[in-house]
């Protein structure tokens, strides 16, 4: 292996430690802790497991964590009223509504009802606009792209003047990370190309990339010959390609693969993220960072 492995788990642990220390300091100096509410509608097993992980992390950091579980048949009106209640609650700094929502509820309407200053997921149009403007306008960068940028910066990869190619143009990964990397800012200042399903020659663009960020959701889409030697490869893709028995628990678990052919790519790239254990652990971490930031904005110390 020639590439340096960018371990999301290690970077996560570093950032969580930093957050924990800051939470303690703020509690001592201001007598408050970050408040996060996670609203879960129904019992979708994947959503339950995501919410459980978020709650566990928040509690471990000393946050005031409220888990608000609502029945599958809650009306849109009642859910909007609940959000309004938390919007007005001074002890809550971050509101998270776990997606997807049941079909009878308009997801967009719900997300747009969250106070943009408590929208720690960064999905509200106001925060999308703030991200586009950049600089001090940015309050809550969306969590997965923010995690990607942290991984690049903390690994010492030069971004200024770098050719960044982003594969994928989704609202939660591709578009925001492209936007973040082109800003006139530290950890950015890159020349960015976004490629997608209608791009004519995917390979030729990827081959130019000093930093290749792949978020397509297609296992093994990026071939080793598309990677520029020494490039930094961030594989965001998480694809279930089968099942296996866990050595730790003896239970069936999913076999996960990224969008990049890791085994071959690691011999060419300069840095590479594994799947699992790469970008994945960063998302919840950045949600915690945004919640802390929200409290800091409120206290005027951000
Ligand atoms: P999406 O389906 O919303 O978007 C995928 C994008 O990739 C689309 O814009 C599409 O144009 C592009 N694309 C798909 N196939 C392509 C192809 N053959 N050639 C070129 N472009 C192609 O997906 P998403 O929500 O952005 O997620 C992408 C992947 O990242 C998924 O595997 C998802 O599970 C993973 N993901 C991981 C995390 C995390 O680790 N925390 C978070 C979000 C998403």
């Amino acid at each position: 292996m020639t590439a340096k492995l960018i371990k999301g788990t290690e970077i996560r642990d570093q950032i969580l430690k930093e957050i924990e220390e800051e939470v303690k300091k703020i509690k001592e100096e201001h007598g408050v802790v970050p408040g996060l509410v996670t609203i879960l509608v129904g019992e979708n097993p994947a959503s339950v497991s995501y919410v459980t992980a978020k709650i566990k992390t928040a509690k471990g950091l000393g946050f005031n964590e409220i888990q608000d579980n609502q029945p599958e048949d809650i009306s849109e009106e009642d859910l909007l009223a609940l959000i309004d209640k938390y919007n007005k609650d001074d002890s809550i700094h971050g509101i998270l509504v776990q997606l997807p929502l049941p079909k009878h509820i308009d997801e967009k309407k719900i997300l747009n009802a969250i106070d943009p200053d408590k929208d720690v997921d960064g999905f509200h149009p106001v925060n999308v606009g703030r991200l586009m403007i950049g600089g001090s306008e940015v309050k809550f960068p969306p969590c997965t792209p923010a995690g990607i940028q942290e991984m690049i910066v903390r690994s010492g990869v030069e971004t200024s003047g770098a050719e960044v190619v982003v594969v994928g143009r989704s609202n939660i990964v591709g578009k925001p990370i492209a936007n973040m990397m082109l800003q006139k800012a530290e950890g950015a200042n890159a020349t960015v190309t976004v490629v997608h399903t209608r791009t004519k020659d995917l390979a030729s663009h990827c081959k130019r990339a000093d930093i290749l960020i792949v978020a397509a959701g297609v296992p093994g889409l990026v071939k080793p010959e598309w990677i520029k030697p020494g490039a930094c490869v961030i594989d965001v893709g998480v694809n279930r390609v089968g099942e296996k028995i866990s050595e730790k628990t003896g239970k069936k678990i999913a076999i996960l693969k990224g969008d990049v052919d890791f085994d071959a790519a690691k011999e060419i790239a300069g840095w590479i993220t594994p799947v699992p254990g790469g970008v994945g652990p960063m998302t919840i971490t950045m949600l915690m960072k945004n919640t802390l930031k929200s409290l800091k904005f409120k206290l005027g110390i951000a």
Side-chain angles (χ1 to χ4, degrees):
M1 172 152 171
T2 58
K4 291 188 193 109
L5 200 59
I6 304 180
K7 291 183 188 155
T9 43
E10 275 179 13
I11 299 175
R12 170 197 63 195
D13 292 347
Q14 266 171 31
I15 298 174
L16 289 181
K17 201 162 163 253
E18 291 164 12
I19 297 174
E20 199 178 353
E21 281 164 11
E22 242 189 301
V23 170
K24 269 192 203 140
K25 194 163 169 261
I26 292 175
K27 192 175 175 185
E28 276 167 23
E29 290 174 4
H30 300 270
V32 279
V33 294
L36 175 68
V37 60
T38 44
I39 302 174
L40 173 67
V41 178
E43 287 168 3
N44 172 325
S47 296
V48 171
S49 89
Y50 290 140
V51 165
T52 307
K54 287 168 189 173
I55 293 165
K56 196 175 156 209
T57 309
K59 285 193 170 151
L61 293 170
F63 285 21
N64 167 28
E65 160 64 47
I66 296 177
Q67 181 181 5
D68 195 328
N69 289 355
Q70 294 294 328
E72 180 85 20
D73 62 355
I74 185 174
S75 68
E76 191 176 276
E77 200 188 347
D78 286 352
L79 191 54
L80 286 168
L82 194 67
I83 288 169
D84 188 48
K85 180 184 101 173
Y86 290 120
N87 278 344
K88 290 176 180 150
D89 183 338
D90 277 347
S91 70
I92 294 297
H93 311 101
I95 301 173
L96 185 129
V97 178
Q98 185 64 46
L99 302 178
L101 290 170
K103 287 205 169 63
H104 67 278
I105 296 175
D106 182 348
E107 232 167 63
K108 217 193 238 176
K109 211 168 167 182
I110 299 299
L111 294 182
N112 290 0
I114 297 173
D115 177 348
D117 291 343
K118 295 188 180 189
D119 166 44
V120 285
D121 252 340
F123 292 154
H124 192 287
V126 167
N127 284 318
V128 176
R130 286 169 170 165
L131 190 78
M132 183 89 172
I133 297 167
S136 59
E137 283 290 329
V138 183
K139 283 206 148 178
F140 308 120
C143 302
T144 302
I148 294 170
Q149 194 178 33
E150 285 275 1
M151 294 179 98
I152 295 171
V153 171
R154 287 180 187 241
S155 302
V157 177
E158 180 58 82
T159 59
S160 182
E163 289 280 345
V164 169
V165 175
V166 178
V167 183
R169 55 176 163 181
S170 71
N171 287 334
I172 64 163
V173 189
K175 278 195 264 183
I177 188 63
N179 202 329
M180 288 161 75
M181 296 308 293
L182 62 79
Q183 295 294 339
K184 192 171 182 176
E186 231 176 278
N189 283 318
T191 302
V192 181
T193 305
V194 182
V195 297
H196 45 79
T197 40
R198 299 293 176 95
T199 298
K200 282 188 184 137
D201 185 357
L202 213 57
S204 72
H205 291 286
C206 292
K207 280 179 188 169
R208 274 191 295 109
D210 300 311
I211 300 172
L212 181 60
I213 301 169
V214 193
V218 181
L221 173 70
V222 171
K223 310 288 175 264
E225 59 273 22
W226 298 7
I227 295 167
K228 183 174 169 179
C232 170
V233 178
I234 306 288
D235 190 352
V236 191
V238 180
N239 307 290
R240 287 170 170 259
V241 294
E243 283 183 335
K244 63 177 180 186
I245 302 294
S246 160
E247 280 175 23
K248 265 194 207 158
T249 62
K251 286 185 183 162
K252 256 191 202 173
I253 52 166
I255 301 173
L256 302 177
K257 282 244 180 311
D259 290 349
V260 177
D261 176 353
F262 178 83
D263 289 334
K266 72 183 190 324
E267 305 301 332
I268 302 160
W271 295 263
I272 193 163
T273 58
V275 178
V279 176
M282 295 299 293
T283 302
I284 293 182
T285 307
M286 301 317 289
L287 176 75
M288 301 301 141
K289 195 163 177 176
N290 276 350
T291 308
L292 171 62
K293 234 173 146 185
S294 178
L295 171 61
K296 285 164 71 181
F297 280 126
K298 202 176 154 212
L299 294 171
I301 55 169

